[in-house]
Amino acid sequence: MVSRTSLTIATAAGACALALGVTVTPAAADSDDKAMVSVFHGVPGLTVDVYANGDELLGDFKPGTVTDPQPLDAGTYDIQVFEAGKGPEGEPAIEKKIEVPAGANATVAAHLSADGTPQLTAFVNDVSKVDAGKARLTVRHVAAAPAVDVRAGGQPVFKGLENPKEQLTEVEAGSVSADVVAAGTDTVVIGPADLDLKEGTGNVVYAWGSAEDKNLALATQTFGGMETTPQAVHAGGNGAAVSANSSGEWMAWAAAGGTVALSLLVARRFSGRRV
């Protein structure tokens, strides 16, 4: 796995820096509207420092980290990413311009594909209301591993989930023990882990890492404020809904609300690096 690993991680880290809401003026902000952006860093092996428009935004951004969603001004940002401790005097590992459109709540995930290739996937977060007494559970497969089943309390909730897709459903609020097994088997590959699914929340679980390297793990992200009053309970609200690869949803949103323009310059010193 050569320089694409550094490129992917650092690209996501740049987006993460923006999501942290640090006071940096965008190069071209033409709207007061906001996007809600968070980032999940799911490729093991490289810690980075991130600069935007010449100012340091984030230092020592480590794999397994999920940032909180933050409002981000629409506009264009010049992002420079350095291996931790290598900037800003040196040549950046990656330099990119990113145009951030107003609109959706989204998480950008840097992760490994099923065969271990680094990649960047953007997921649209479903923050719509949930039925009274319920919580939304979303599982995203972003690990270098085959298809998996996800179980809660020993019972399959999602089956045949493949990288880089997600599945979601509404479940009864409460605590549950969840694990991930190889699809169609009882062979546990991640977990178990205890999840506290509070009423009116959206809970995203990321299965990340590499099966070959034996570092598979779970990371979680929670969204609040989705409560529904009992009078608004919908009949049959306990059914599961499986979404398509939300990477396509993001691109559709971006096309409607603006485009994401990336210009990448990869430093030669990363050309032989492996993760």
Side-chain angles (χ1 to χ4, degrees), residues 116-246:
T117 303
Q119 66 182 50
L120 189 66
T121 302
F123 295 94
V124 175
N125 299 311
D126 186 347
V127 292
S128 61
K129 298 292 185 181
V130 297
D131 290 338
K134 304 283 187 177
R136 180 172 293 114
L137 176 62
T138 302
V139 177
R140 293 169 178 167
H141 185 341
V142 290
V148 297
D149 298 339
V150 181
R151 306 186 302 186
Q155 299 300 313
V157 178
F158 307 117
K159 294 183 178 181
L161 180 59
E162 298 177 341
N163 182 318
K165 296 183 179 180
E166 65 173 9
Q167 294 181 16
L168 60 90
T169 189
E170 286 186 15
V171 298
E172 297 291 339
S175 297
V176 63
S177 178
D179 61 11
V180 179
V181 299
T185 76
D186 291 323
T187 303
V188 177
V189 294
I190 309 178
D194 293 330
L195 303 178
D196 185 13
L197 308 178
K198 298 185 187 309
E199 180 179 0
T201 62
N203 304 270
V204 182
V205 179
Y206 297 87
W208 69 285
S210 169
E212 181 178 354
D213 294 337
K214 302 184 185 307
N215 58 13
L216 293 173
L218 295 178
T220 60
Q221 180 179 27
T222 302
F223 302 92
M226 305 177 197
E227 299 87 349
T228 300
T229 59
Q231 292 83 355
V233 174
H234 302 293
N238 195 31
V242 179
S243 75
N245 181 359
S246 59

Side-chain angles (χ1 to χ4, degrees), residues 5 39 49 59 68 90 120 130 146 166 215 263 270:
T5 300
V39 169
D49 298 332
D68 290 332
L120 189 66
V130 297
E166 65 173 9
N215 58 13
S263 174
F270 283 87

